[in-house]
Amino acid sequence: FKINRLAHTVSIEHECNFEFDAKYPKIDRIFNQITKMVPLLLSSPAFFMKATLKVARETGLLKRVLEAQDTKGCTALMGAAQNGHMECVQAMLEVAKPDKALLESMLMPTSNAGATALMWAAVSGENECVQAMLEVAKPDKALLESMLMATSNEGLTALMCAASFGKNECVQAMLEVAKPDKDLLESMLMVTSNDGFTALMGAAQNGHMECLQAMLEVAKPDKALLESMLMVTSNDGATALMWAAQNGH
């Protein structure tokens, strides 16, 4: 585990490759090989991620490695996305990309709280991670829609998470990718949580002006949609304007 101390001090400059002998599957033998490659280790903060994915792919363990969940139901992708480790997110997306089923099984699982990797990235404001996941899903309309409309145990979508916590770049990224599909955009803006909250209400209640403006702006050309967004009420019977007023925003 001396490797971890090295990982805390390195920076990415170029791609690195690791060669492993399939005859030695034990983790200690793999660590021994890696620790001998100090020059390469010092070139990438995601060296262990890339090395692990390479070994997993060559030994047929890739699916199990990417889908594995901890006691909180979190996968490796969720952990990387939540903490903004873009190199790790990219490495996992890239290795899963050729396999549609594997990509979906990696992007759609939920933690014990019902949160997907996209939700974790959105609530943390990790926009690069959000964009990377949206970009890899974009060619598959059904997958993209599933990611954007997935809800947590509390009924929250990724857009609601981002809007409620003021993560404007993430809000804009999701609105931008949904904009060409009018039905998807409307669904994202009008879906409600278990408390009857929309993404607009979440932004209004917490005073996140940029997020609120982004959602109003994208809905502006559609008068019916804009009216629905402004007039829909939560379970308490309050509109987005009421929530803003009650909290002094």
Side-chain angles (χ1 to χ4, degrees), residues 63 66-67 75 77-78 92-93 96-110 116-117 133 136-137 140-147:
K63 181 177 173 64
L66 291 175
E67 293 180 356
T75 63
L77 182 64
M78 291 178 197
M92 286 183 277
L93 293 178
K97 197 175 179 180
D99 186 333
K100 181 180 177 181
L102 177 58
L103 183 63
E104 183 174 349
S105 69
M106 190 172 71
L107 289 168
M108 290 310 299
T110 60
T116 62
M133 288 184 278
V136 78
D140 186 336
K141 183 180 178 181
L143 175 57
L144 181 64
E145 183 174 343
S146 295
M147 287 172 61

Side-chain angles (χ1 to χ4, degrees), residues 64-86:
R64 289 180 61 189
V65 166
L66 291 175
E67 293 180 356
Q69 294 174 287
D70 64 17
T71 55
K72 295 181 180 180
C74 291
T75 63
L77 182 64
M78 291 178 197
Q82 180 184 18
N83 293 291
H85 299 311
M86 185 60 178

Side-chain angles (χ1 to χ4, degrees), residues 5-246:
R5 293 201 293 272
L6 289 173
H8 292 316
T9 62
V10 297
S11 59
I12 181 72
E13 290 186 5
H14 61 271
E15 196 75 17
C16 55
N17 294 309
F18 297 94
E19 298 297 332
F20 297 109
D21 191 330
K23 293 184 296 183
Y24 303 115
K26 290 185 178 180
I27 195 67
D28 58 335
R29 299 302 293 268
I30 294 176
F31 277 145
N32 287 336
Q33 291 186 57
I34 294 177
T35 52
K36 292 175 183 177
M37 300 179 178
V38 175
L40 288 177
L41 297 183
L42 295 177
S43 71
S44 172
F47 74 87
F48 185 70
M49 171 65 66
K50 294 174 183 177
T52 301
L53 292 176
K54 186 177 189 298
V55 172
R57 182 171 52 195
E58 292 174 351
T59 56
L61 295 173
L62 187 61
K63 181 177 173 64
R64 289 180 61 189
V65 166
L66 291 175
E67 293 180 356
Q69 294 174 287
D70 64 17
T71 55
K72 295 181 180 180
C74 291
T75 63
L77 182 64
M78 291 178 197
Q82 180 184 18
N83 293 291
H85 299 311
M86 185 60 178
E87 285 288 326
C88 293
V89 170
Q90 284 184 322
M92 286 183 277
L93 293 178
E94 192 61 32
V95 77
K97 197 175 179 180
D99 186 333
K100 181 180 177 181
L102 177 58
L103 183 63
E104 183 174 349
S105 69
M106 190 172 71
L107 289 168
M108 290 310 299
T110 60
S111 65
N112 295 352
T116 62
L118 184 64
M119 292 178 201
W120 283 116
V123 78
S124 300
E126 300 298 344
N127 185 49
E128 286 189 347
C129 296
V130 166
Q131 288 186 325
M133 288 184 278
L134 292 176
E135 190 63 31
V136 78
K138 195 187 295 185
D140 186 336
K141 183 180 178 181
L143 175 57
L144 181 64
E145 183 174 343
S146 295
M147 287 172 61
L148 291 170
M149 294 305 298
T151 56
S152 69
N153 294 349
E154 296 178 349
L156 302 174
T157 64
L159 182 63
M160 290 179 194
C161 292
S164 296
F165 284 88
K167 309 304 181 183
N168 183 50
E169 289 186 340
C170 296
V171 167
Q172 290 188 349
M174 286 182 274
L175 292 177
E176 189 63 31
V177 78
K179 195 187 295 185
D181 187 334
K182 182 180 177 181
D183 291 337
L184 175 57
L185 181 63
E186 182 175 345
S187 295
M188 285 173 59
L189 292 169
M190 291 304 301
V191 65
T192 58
S193 67
N194 296 351
D195 294 326
F197 265 63
T198 62
L200 187 69
M201 289 179 195
Q205 182 188 39
N206 294 292
H208 300 309
M209 180 60 70
E210 290 184 337
C211 296
L212 186 142
Q213 287 179 324
M215 288 183 280
L216 292 177
E217 193 63 32
V218 78
K220 203 172 180 180
D222 187 337
K223 184 179 178 181
L225 173 58
L226 184 61
E227 181 178 351
S228 296
M229 288 172 61
L230 293 172
M231 297 308 298
V232 66
T233 60
S234 64
N235 293 353
D236 296 323
T239 63
L241 183 63
M242 292 176 191
W243 281 114
Q246 287 175 25

